[in-house]
């Protein structure tokens, strides 16, 4: 007889009921299945109405983040085996509004992402006849922060974001740092305005869960702390030398 | 744009964390372990007061006491506001926490100088 494992899946179908429910699915257990394989099995074989996001199934697209037994994970990179004998509880990412079943509304995150201007800012944009050279060590300065795949696991893990929804949050701050530390970028002062605000870096209390759950080892908590040191020294500089500050 | 005052408190918090991590274990080792266990001879009151006459020692001691208190104040403020969900009392909590640190700093100045 085949081994079975039970999945307890969060369901929210606004046209049927205003309240979310949990539905139990018993599926065959395979040692080499990830949670996403199990969800795909449910959708194909048991219940086609189950809704969730996924795309690449290889930890690059960042769309299959969910809460598994209360922890935010990429379901394509998390094996059923880690949760035997089950049951396994699957819920949408915490701290976000739910649209349907396991699908969350990410518009708040996208708004915040825009605020930190996550692109290279230069005064001489448009001169296509030149290259912007960078040494390997200049690349190494920001490379870690550029690995972010916008999966939002860090937002689901961040207790501060849960309590203070206006907090810009870990991934956006780490991405700001990615561009600030890029030797080709000249937009640091512009970004600092959004970041040194009360809803920016100063709301972080260094819980560190964002870095613990990050599937790409981006370490947003580290990025924010480095930013605080810089923000604080800037603050003292403008206090002590008010006429020396630029912009 | 409104200028955030958080960097000021955070600087004191950060400096306090670094200083207390450096100095408090040494002070605790000397005064709470080594002396009570008779591992080193307890200095007399006169010796201690004499040592405390050195201006740079006073400066270090005031720094350690004051900044450690600001470290506590900042952390305790957020423990209360976020841990216990008391955010709407932010003003009063901040005044009490940082006020305690300011008073402790003043007391250390009064007693040392």
């Amino acid at each position: 007889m085949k081994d079975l494992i039970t999945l307890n899946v969060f369901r929210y179908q606004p046209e049927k009921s205003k309240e979310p429910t949990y539905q139990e699915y018993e599926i065959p257990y395979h040692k080499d299945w990830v949670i996403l394989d199990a969800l795909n099995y449910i959708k194909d074989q048991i219940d086609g109405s189950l809704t969730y996001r996924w795309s690449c199934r290889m930890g690059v697209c960042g769309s299959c983040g969910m809460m598994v037994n209360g922890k935010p994970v990429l379901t394509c990179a998390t094996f059923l085996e880690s949760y035997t004998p089950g049951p396994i509880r699957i819920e949408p990412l915490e701290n976000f509004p739910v649209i349907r079943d396991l699908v969350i509304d990410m518009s708040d995150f996208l708004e915040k992402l825009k605020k930190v201007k996550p692109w290279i800012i230069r005064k001489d944009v448009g001169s296509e006849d030149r290259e912007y050279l960078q040494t390997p060590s200049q690349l190494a300065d920001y490379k870690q922060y550029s690995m972010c795949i916008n999966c939002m696991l860090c937002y689901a893990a961040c207790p501060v974001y849960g309590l203070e929804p206006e907090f810009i949050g870990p991934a956006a701050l780490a991405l700001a740092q990615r561009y600030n530390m890029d030797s080709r970028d000249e937009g640091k002062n512009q970004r600092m305005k959004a970041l040194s605000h009360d809803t920016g870096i100063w709301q972080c209390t260094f819980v560190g869960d964002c870095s613990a759950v990050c599937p790409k080892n981006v370490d947003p908590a580290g990025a924010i702390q480095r930013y605080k040191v810089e923000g604080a020294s800037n603050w003292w500089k403008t206090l002590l030398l008010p006429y020396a500050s630029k912009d | 744009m409104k200028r955030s005052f958080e960097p000021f408190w955070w600087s004191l918090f950060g400096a306090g964390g670094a200083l207390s991590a450096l100095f408090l274990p040494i002070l605790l080792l000397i005064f709470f372990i080594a002396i009570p266990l008779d591992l080193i001879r307890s200095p007399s009151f006169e010796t201690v007061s004499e040592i405390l006459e050195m201006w740079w020692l006073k400066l270090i001691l005031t720094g350690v006491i004051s900044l450690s208190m600001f470290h506590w104040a900042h952390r305790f403020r957020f423990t209360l506001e976020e841990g216990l969900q008391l955010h709407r009392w932010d003003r009063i909590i901040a005044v009490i926490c940082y006020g305690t640190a300011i008073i402790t700093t003043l007391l250390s100045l009064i007693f040392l100088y």
Side-chain angles (χ1 to χ4, degrees):
Chain A
M1 201 194 92
K2 251 190 187 164
D3 278 342
L4 297 170
I5 192 160
T6 305
L7 263 61
N8 228 329
V9 183
F10 179 99
R11 301 296 311 265
Y12 173 62
Q13 294 158 296
E15 77 282 359
K16 278 192 189 158
S17 154
K18 289 268 160 265
E19 292 296 313
T21 51
Y22 285 84
Q23 196 164 341
E24 252 186 40
Y25 298 100
E26 205 163 54
I27 55 149
Y29 169 76
H30 294 275
K31 200 171 143 50
D32 55 355
W33 270 14
V34 290
I35 305 278
L36 184 61
D37 292 323
L39 291 174
N40 284 339
Y41 178 87
I42 295 172
K43 181 137 182 117
D44 292 344
Q45 310 290 330
I46 308 174
D47 183 349
S49 73
L50 182 65
T51 310
Y52 52 97
R53 283 196 184 104
W54 70 286
S55 176
C56 76
R57 51 151 193 78
M58 51 196 275
V60 177
C61 74
S63 46
C64 69
M66 295 167 209
M67 307 297 287
V68 175
N69 282 0
K71 285 223 168 86
V73 295
L74 290 184
T75 48
C76 70
T78 308
F79 285 88
L80 286 179
E81 196 190 11
S82 317
Y83 300 93
T84 47
I88 309 172
R89 199 172 75 252
I90 305 192
E91 294 157 312
L93 284 180
E94 211 140 297
N95 300 338
F96 290 97
V98 179
I99 297 174
R100 185 184 189 82
D101 292 346
L102 299 165
V103 175
I104 52 109
D105 179 0
M106 60 173 92
S107 33
D108 182 53
F109 170 66
L110 294 176
E111 275 308 307
K112 283 169 176 164
L113 205 53
K114 253 194 285 179
K115 269 193 204 160
V116 303
K117 306 188 181 197
W119 52 81
I120 287 184
I121 299 173
R122 282 194 72 96
K123 290 180 190 107
D124 61 354
V125 164
S127 53
E128 282 168 17
D129 52 336
R130 64 166 290 199
E131 290 175 279
Y132 298 96
L133 300 178
Q134 193 161 55
T135 66
S137 80
Q138 285 171 328
L139 170 69
D141 279 344
Y142 69 84
K143 191 163 180 220
Q144 180 193 12
Y145 303 130
S146 75
M147 304 307 279
C148 175
I149 54 171
N150 301 337
C151 65
M152 295 170 288
L153 298 191
C154 52
Y155 283 76
C158 177
V160 177
Y161 181 63
L163 292 168
E164 321 272 352
E166 73 276 20
F167 176 41
I168 290 185
L173 289 171
L175 266 173
Q177 192 72 317
R178 175 251 173 273
Y179 287 95
N180 281 339
M181 297 178 79
D182 190 319
S183 59
R184 300 164 297 181
D185 181 79
E186 294 170 345
K188 201 175 196 170
N189 287 332
Q190 288 183 40
R191 268 178 224 112
M192 207 53 167
K193 278 182 192 148
L195 296 169
S196 56
H197 196 260
D198 276 343
T199 57
I201 41 175
W202 302 111
Q203 224 160 19
C204 164
T205 50
F206 201 11
V207 175
D209 281 354
C210 51
S211 296
V213 300
C214 179
K216 293 288 169 185
N217 298 318
V218 169
D219 191 13
I224 300 171
Q225 303 321 301
R226 285 173 76 170
Y227 227 143
K228 281 184 185 170
V229 174
E230 207 179 325
S233 74
N234 275 349
W235 189 90
W236 285 101
K237 254 186 239 163
T238 32
L239 181 80
L240 301 172
L241 307 163
Y243 300 108
S245 60
K246 49 221 169 292
D247 286 270
Chain B
M1 195 191 71
K2 202 178 119 260
R3 195 164 146 78
S4 171
F5 210 63
E6 282 305 314
F8 173 75
W9 301 120
W10 188 84
S11 314
L12 296 178
F13 165 79
L19 272 190
S20 52
L22 266 177
F23 288 101
L24 289 189
I26 305 171
L27 292 174
L28 289 176
L29 184 71
I30 297 173
F31 289 101
F32 290 86
I33 295 173
I35 293 178
L37 291 178
D38 271 331
L39 300 175
I40 55 173
R41 203 162 40 83
S42 173
S44 68
F45 182 75
E46 287 72 31
T47 326
V48 176
S49 348
E50 211 171 288
I51 293 171
L52 279 179
E53 281 308 305
M54 291 186 269
W55 65 269
W56 55 270
L57 200 67
K58 280 184 190 176
L59 196 72
I60 293 178
L61 219 56
T62 318
V64 172
I65 293 169
S66 166
L67 291 171
S68 302
M69 282 307 289
F70 277 107
H71 183 83
W72 163 82
H74 195 69
R75 176 154 288 172
F76 198 62
R77 176 186 157 201
F78 285 106
T79 306
L80 291 178
E81 288 178 15
E82 272 156 19
L84 299 180
Q85 302 279 297
L86 298 173
H87 207 277
R88 63 212 141 104
W89 306 105
D90 176 48
R91 267 293 144 81
I92 180 113
I93 290 172
V95 168
I96 292 172
C97 289
Y98 299 130
T100 310
I102 292 167
I103 290 168
T104 321
T105 306
L106 292 176
L107 285 177
S108 79
L109 287 172
I110 292 168
F111 285 123
L112 282 168
Y113 296 91

